[in-house]
């Protein structure tokens, strides 16, 4: 019984995340929120900063253990692929993706 | 009928305004689908060591990120970098994003290899790896 209710909760969480992503077209602030949610889930960053300038310019600075040993193009492609939907909706996207700084 | 594929190829080449002897041939205005766009991109990359897909021209960039890359290339005195102005053609502007699987402009190719966008060029410029690459490939 207990594990069944846990399962239900995670499904609801996924559903509400989906709703947030799907409403991107209406609310520009949710691009930031959506990016943050996705980046946290995938990269578990040690540092994350998302700056949004106006409606269509976003800067992401992210440090994560996931980037250790990865060449720069691969790090950027990983983030771009994850944030594909959001990036197509904005005009300018800047990314700084590094392993955690000591 | 037997050689219909040859006729199709001829039409295709004519449409593309493509002359295999001319390194800069291929008219962006004639691109009407992804196949011709892809051929144009491939041809451009094959015939030019350094290709910059950007907004505007190197004399008149239309975007800060594109301008940054132009200035970096000028700084290293890269000889003959070839510019494709994506503002000339929506087919190119969207086609290069699909071709490279990269969502933004500018895009830089060196010896047919995709290097990245302006962020990557900036980082490579700052840590010296761009200079190293350009020297290794004898582009400066």
């Amino acid at each position: 019984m207990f594990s069944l209710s846990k399962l239900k909760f995670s499904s609801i969480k996924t559903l509400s995340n989906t709703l947030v992503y799907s409403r991107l077209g209406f609310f520009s602030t949710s691009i930031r929120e959506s990016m943050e949610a996705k980046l946290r889930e995938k990269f578990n960053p040690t540092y994350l900063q998302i700056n949004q300038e106006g409606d269509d310019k976003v800067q992401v600075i992210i440090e994560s253990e996931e980037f250790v040993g990865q060449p720069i193009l691969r790090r950027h492609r990983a983030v771009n692929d994850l944030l594909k939907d959001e990036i197509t909706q904005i005009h300018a996207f800047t990314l700084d993706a590094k392993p955690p700084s000591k | 009928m037997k050689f219909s594929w040859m006729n199709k190829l001829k039409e295709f080449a004519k449409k593309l305004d493509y002359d295999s002897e001319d390194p800069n041939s291929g008219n962006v205005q004639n691109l009407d689908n992804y196949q011709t766009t892809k051929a144009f991109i491939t041809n451009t990359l094959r015939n030019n060591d350094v290709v910059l897909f950007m907004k505007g021209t190197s004399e008149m960039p239309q975007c800060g990120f594109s301008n940054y890359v132009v200035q970096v290339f000028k700084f290293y005195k890269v000889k003959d970098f070839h510019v494709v102005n994506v503002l000339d053609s929506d087919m190119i502007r969207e086609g290069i994003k699909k071709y490279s699987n990269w969502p933004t402009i500018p895009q830089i190719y060196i010896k047919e290899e995709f290097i990245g966008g302006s962020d990557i060029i900036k980082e490579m410029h700052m840590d010296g790896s761009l200079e190293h690459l350009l020297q290794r490939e004898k582009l400066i």
Side-chain angles (χ1 to χ4, degrees), chain B residues 7-17 35-36 39:
Chain B
N7 288 330
K8 278 197 181 142
L9 201 62
K10 265 191 202 162
E11 268 173 37
F12 181 87
K14 215 187 286 180
K15 219 187 212 182
L16 195 56
D17 190 18
Q35 285 313 310
T36 48

Side-chain angles (χ1 to χ4, degrees), chain A residues 55-98:
Chain A
D55 263 351
D56 56 3
K57 234 177 146 176
V58 176
Q59 178 194 31
V60 170
I61 302 171
I62 178 171
E63 291 183 6
S64 164
E65 288 288 340
E66 300 293 318
F67 296 139
V68 172
Q70 292 208 336
I72 184 171
L73 184 57
R74 198 181 313 164
R75 305 194 302 251
H76 279 237
R77 281 207 186 276
V79 174
N80 287 346
D81 288 346
L82 181 68
L83 303 182
K84 196 186 307 197
D85 292 334
E86 289 83 355
I87 294 173
T88 51
Q89 298 185 49
I90 53 181
H91 190 76
F93 177 71
T94 311
L95 173 64
D96 184 345
K98 291 192 165 79

Side-chain angles (χ1 to χ4, degrees), chain B residues 46 75 80 88 90 96 99 113 120 123 125-126 135 137:
Chain B
R46 194 177 299 138
F75 172 80
D80 315 317
D88 283 342
D90 279 341
I96 190 61
Y99 185 95
E113 189 183 318
I120 291 182
E123 201 166 314
H125 166 57
M126 298 209 292
Q135 280 170 347
E137 299 297 328

Side-chain angles (χ1 to χ4, degrees), chain B residues 88-122:
Chain B
D88 283 342
S89 155
D90 279 341
M91 290 302 302
I92 283 280
R93 187 172 179 172
E94 297 314 309
I96 190 61
K97 292 176 187 174
K98 184 172 175 176
Y99 185 95
S100 309
N101 189 24
W102 187 264
T104 53
I105 305 290
Q107 296 187 14
I108 296 86
Y109 278 82
I110 295 179
K111 298 251 171 112
E112 298 187 66
E113 189 183 318
F114 182 71
I115 302 301
S118 62
D119 293 338
I120 291 182
I121 289 291
K122 186 179 209 168

Side-chain angles (χ1 to χ4, degrees), chain B residues 31-77:
Chain B
L31 304 173
D32 58 2
N33 60 53
Y34 182 63
Q35 285 313 310
T36 48
T37 307
K38 188 177 165 186
F40 171 82
I41 293 169
T42 307
N43 180 49
T44 304
L45 296 178
R46 194 177 299 138
N47 289 307
N48 296 282
D49 282 341
V50 181
V51 183
L52 171 54
F53 294 87
M54 64 177 277
K55 294 180 182 174
T57 63
S58 54
E59 298 84 33
M60 268 218 297
Q62 298 292 315
C63 144
F65 301 120
S66 290
N67 182 40
Y68 177 81
V69 179
V70 170
Q71 298 313 317
V72 168
F73 282 172
K74 285 186 173 170
F75 172 80
Y76 287 108
K77 297 191 173 59

Side-chain angles (χ1 to χ4, degrees), chain A:
Chain A
M1 274 289 250
F2 177 75
S3 59
L4 187 63
S5 61
K6 251 189 173 175
L7 179 68
K8 272 188 182 173
F9 177 75
S10 70
S11 306
I12 292 168
K13 199 176 165 193
T14 310
L15 182 62
S16 70
N17 278 347
T18 311
L19 287 172
V20 167
Y21 302 159
S22 69
R23 300 201 68 174
L24 285 171
F26 296 101
F27 303 106
S28 61
T29 48
S30 66
I31 286 183
R32 246 186 102 208
E33 287 163 2
S34 169
M35 283 186 170
E36 178 164 359
K38 285 183 180 179
L39 289 168
R40 288 204 182 281
E41 196 196 340
K42 169 125 195 188
F43 296 109
N44 192 26
T46 51
Y47 180 84
L48 178 61
Q49 191 185 105
I50 304 177
N51 301 319
Q52 184 165 4
E53 215 179 298
D55 263 351
D56 56 3
K57 234 177 146 176
V58 176
Q59 178 194 31
V60 170
I61 302 171
I62 178 171
E63 291 183 6
S64 164
E65 288 288 340
E66 300 293 318
F67 296 139
V68 172
Q70 292 208 336
I72 184 171
L73 184 57
R74 198 181 313 164
R75 305 194 302 251
H76 279 237
R77 281 207 186 276
V79 174
N80 287 346
D81 288 346
L82 181 68
L83 303 182
K84 196 186 307 197
D85 292 334
E86 289 83 355
I87 294 173
T88 51
Q89 298 185 49
I90 53 181
H91 190 76
F93 177 71
T94 311
L95 173 64
D96 184 345
K98 291 192 165 79
S101 48
K102 295 288 176 274

